[in-house]
Amino acid sequence: MTSHPHGKAEHARSVAAHAAAVAELLQPLRSPERTETLPLIQALGRGLVDHVAAPISLPPFANSQMDGYAVRAGDLSGAGADLRIVPPVPAGSSPQPLAPGTAAPIMTGAMIPEGADAVVPIEKAVPDRFPEPGPDGAVNWNGTVKLNGTANWNGTVKLPATAPGTYVRAAGSDIAAGERALAAGTCLGPAQLGLLAALGIPEVTVSKAATVLLVTTGDEVVDPGQDLAPGKIYDSNGTLLEAAMQQAGLTVRRTAISTDNPAELLALLRAGSPRADLIVTTGGVSKGAYEVVRQAMAGQPVEFLQVAMQPGGPQGIGTFDGVPFLGFPGNPVSCLVSFEMFLRPALSACLGAPAPRLPLRARLDQPLASPAHKHQVRRGSLQPDGTVKLEGGEGSHLMHALAGSNVLVHVPAGVTDLAAGDEVEVWML
Amino acid sequence: MTSHPHGKAEHARSVAAHAAAVAELLQPLRSPERTETLPLIQALGRGLVDHVAAPISLPPFANSQMDGYAVRAGDLSGAGADLRIVPPVPAGSSPQPLAPGTAAPIMTGAMIPEGADAVVPIEKAVPDRFPEPGPDGAVNWNGTVKLNGTANWNGTVKLPATAPGTYVRAAGSDIAAGERALAAGTCLGPAQLGLLAALGIPEVTVSKAATVLLVTTGDEVVDPGQDLAPGKIYDSNGTLLEAAMQQAGLTVRRTAISTDNPAELLALLRAGSPRADLIVTTGGVSKGAYEVVRQAMAGQPVEFLQVAMQPGGPQGIGTFDGVPFLGFPGNPVSCLVSFEMFLRPALSACLGAPAPRLPLRARLDQPLASPAHKHQVRRGSLQPDGTVKLEGGEGSHLMHALAGSNVLVHVPAGVTDLAAGDEVEVWML
């Protein structure tokens, strides 16, 4: 596991150019064969393949925004009026037309009767509560109401002047039938799935989850739980990336840790790649002569290059036996930064999932310096007052600092010095 | 499905008081019996039960931050020196002590040899590349290196003056053995799991996922995919809440939609509650006489009340046959706001998962008005320039607007008018 973070910047590829190259590499994942139609809840976190137009209006019919009385506003001109109470309109019913001079108790969400054009909230009525059923009054809200003679059900109610349209939700006021409800490429979260459900759509066509073969490498790397010989370290890249990839909607297949013997790495890749949509390795991509990933990729159309980024400069990209391949550097923080800067956005662009990180602005709580020709990615914790506290230094090995962070802090190439209070772009992790 | 969003504010419970009541209700979920020990990756998204102290230091040993030469800085005082190259230190090896006057090629992450105290990056060396093996030179980075006579392996390298400590990562510079690595209650994301892996910890004790029984109610509500009779609407609450609860780490069990017949709701609750840690219903909690959830809860220690919040004012809270119960109002946006304001934070507090929403500040792109005695929760989309665009109005039925939002916008009780440009607290969804 080696890296070479300070490669000469003048030969480095820009972050934007490498991001575009990774997006291009993943294009094969975006194909009609790689879609599936799922019940809504199974589509949680997936990307929508096609635009969805509303098959019905929302709300489907004019309905009451309040518990109250449906009225003809014209009956209440001036100082209001006493109106005769007619049988109520429970939610879910298809009510009778409202006769002039009457008021129908109506529940929130219930259909406005034909003829009615406003709702008076119960609080503004005198009396300000609905008629109650009597001791023997059976009320069936699903249909007819058996009125009870002892209640004031057949009575009148005093209602104030009310403008037409008051507390009426017009049909289509949320979305009209035929309008675009969701755009292709939308990542389906609770609200988007809820909207599809409200529109009566029970299943949805989404991009299939991609399967990634994840291989960590390094003679020095051992699995957590094993004994740690001198010079060895525990593999954190595997857990870190598997978790991040899972959260991003990838199906992750891990191999055993590869030593720095290229034959061993090749065997792991050959065994796993036929069932993978993507291969990601960590480590072994630096400039040295004996980098295991470089060696294993000999003869494959894979490029190893420096990206003008700190950390995470050394990167590999290409295909292995025809499967898209990304070689991340070996340091844990470099791995996560590589994932967040290149792979995650490419997945969002190709598959519509995960949802892209929202770029936010925050003020630095301390000055920082950054190399002129590199895009520096620092880790930080965003504070409620809008400042960002840097966690750890530039070093890419600081896992404890990373674990205390909730944002990535971007210092673009060309920016070398920032003062406390300067604004930076941050991505929430 | 009815609601009553404009209940008299003077009798309403504050948002903070209801949030505290919900957190109290969920306290039984926080118990030693409700924990489990899982392999790291299965603990993704769970809450850590106990503080974790670092069993080893990170890094475990002083190592090189660069590919370069390990040196004794004292050998390079003044203008630097030509040092004799000795066999390299690959990552993962336990190197021989470094003799005075020599330089050992060292890879990033490899252990600093005893005696060495600095690393000169390869770029600053003359020549600026490592010795290459000759045509018959077999190099085994795992152990001994067979030097090749034709390469300059046995030669010298010219290195500049270098301060002690340069590019050396000291043992424990990330975290020292015994220090607190993660606090109890931490939600375990990729970085936190990566840290545990780096510390060699293969499994972790986390809170068990809670199981929620989710019941949507209403005579007017039908499942997506069914025909829609006049006066009926599709159930979006079920999908919306199931998805949100899944994302929050709950195991969700849905029943069929309950009509407004209390006997039917009771049967669904009785069938499902024995295996649930929590019951959530939607609808039927308002002030009317015939609210199905209120009726079904008769005889149970359940309180129905108004929270000084808009939307989502009517709430039910208590226990049903001993199982913690929350009754959300029936409108979809009210449901999501209820979940985000009360249930989700209580889960974070009790179980350490999901991770709490980070409160951010944003500037309104338009003025807004809010009732004096209510905490208004608007929906909005946060823009890259730090402004928030309100999506939809105050109405709680606007699913399309909700689906276009990425934040909740908070207007606390007591704030009645805000101008464009005013700062508000937002929660990213």
Side-chain angles (χ1 to χ4, degrees), chain B residues 325-344:
Chain B
F325 160 80
L326 293 174
F328 289 167
N331 277 306
V333 179
S334 301
C335 274
L336 188 72
V337 167
S338 300
F339 173 78
E340 290 286 338
M341 295 295 285
F342 304 124
L343 180 51
R344 197 179 187 284

Side-chain angles (χ1 to χ4, degrees), chain A residues 1 3-4 6 61 92 108 111 123 133 141-142 174 192 194 197 200 219-220 225 231-232 234 236 290 398-400 403, chain B residues 1 3-4 61 92 108 111 122-123 133 141-142 174 192 194 197 200 219-220 225 231-232 234 236 290 398-400 403:
Chain A
M1 182 177 92
S3 70
H4 201 85
H6 289 256
F61 47 83
T108 303
M111 184 184 275
E123 295 92 343
W141 286 98
N142 290 310
D174 191 2
Q192 292 74 35
D219 283 344
E220 78 280 27
K232 307 288 186 187
Y234 288 114
S236 55
Y290 315 110
L398 297 173
M399 273 308 295
H400 188 220
Chain B
M1 182 178 93
S3 71
H4 201 86
F61 46 83
T108 303
M111 184 184 276
I122 185 67
E123 295 93 343
W141 285 96
N142 289 311
D174 190 3
Q192 293 74 34
D219 283 343
E220 77 280 28
K232 307 289 187 187
Y234 287 113
S236 54
Y290 313 112
L398 297 172
M399 274 306 297
H400 188 219

